[in-house]
Amino acid sequence: CGYSDDGDFVTGQVVRVDHASGIARIMNAGHPLPILIRGGRAETVGLTPGFPFGVALDAEYHVQELELDVGDRLVFLTDGILERNAANVNTIEVLTQTRELHAREAVQALTQAVVDACGGVLRDDATVLCVDWHGGPTGARDASSGADQ
């Protein structure tokens, strides 16, 4: 609030994944809800959003927990993926159809669908972060030389 003009705000999320327990702790400041792909199905994670950053100096933000299962994919996205012409893109469907792809290719497929829907002209940021959960420190995934899938 101290660094913005009156009426300015920004949405966002802060996420921390505890590798030992597989619990994602998420604080949502008015941002679009993340999407969880589990067991072949994609659905939004039912977080309670807080105020956007910059709205009120005394705003309280609550950390909410999501227990991740091995094989889960958690997708965070900005509102530019969902608004204006991009609203014609069925994000849940695209993420469901690309669930077997490497996270990088799933993100590329979604962002390309958004760019196509917008005729190549984005009027807002369109950012996607995809987190694949392979288990904690004792997980079977070897990432010492990059992606193994």
Side-chain angles (χ1 to χ4, degrees):
C1 288
Y3 296 100
S4 62
D5 295 328
D6 286 342
D8 288 349
F9 67 90
V10 63
T11 65
Q13 294 182 77
V14 178
V15 182
R16 181 177 186 178
V17 177
D18 179 8
H19 289 178
S21 68
I23 294 178
R25 290 178 175 85
I26 306 169
M27 188 278 305
N28 186 322
H31 210 60
L33 296 175
I35 298 170
L36 176 67
I37 297 102
R38 174 180 285 167
R41 294 190 43 198
E43 59 187 21
T44 56
V45 177
L47 299 177
T48 303
F51 289 107
F53 298 120
V55 170
L57 282 171
D58 60 348
E60 291 187 24
Y61 297 97
H62 302 282
V63 176
Q64 299 166 79
E65 294 186 351
L66 172 65
E67 187 171 341
L68 298 173
D69 293 338
V70 172
D72 281 354
R73 174 171 283 174
L74 190 56
V75 180
F76 299 91
L77 38 86
T78 61
D79 56 359
I81 293 291
L82 304 171
E83 294 179 344
R84 298 187 178 100
N85 291 341
N88 296 326
V89 175
N90 186 332
T91 305
I92 296 288
E93 182 178 319
V94 172
L95 292 172
T96 300
Q97 291 173 350
T98 60
R99 70 186 176 275
E100 298 299 326
L101 296 178
H102 186 280
R104 175 183 54 244
E105 280 86 29
V107 167
Q108 288 173 344
L110 179 57
T111 55
Q112 189 60 56
V114 169
V115 168
D116 291 346
C118 295
V121 179
L122 300 176
R123 299 195 195 300
D124 198 354
D125 65 296
T127 305
V128 181
L129 172 67
C130 184
V131 177
D132 283 349
W133 181 248
H134 296 279
T138 60
R141 184 166 191 254
D142 175 19
S144 60
S145 61
D148 60 359
Q149 293 184 9

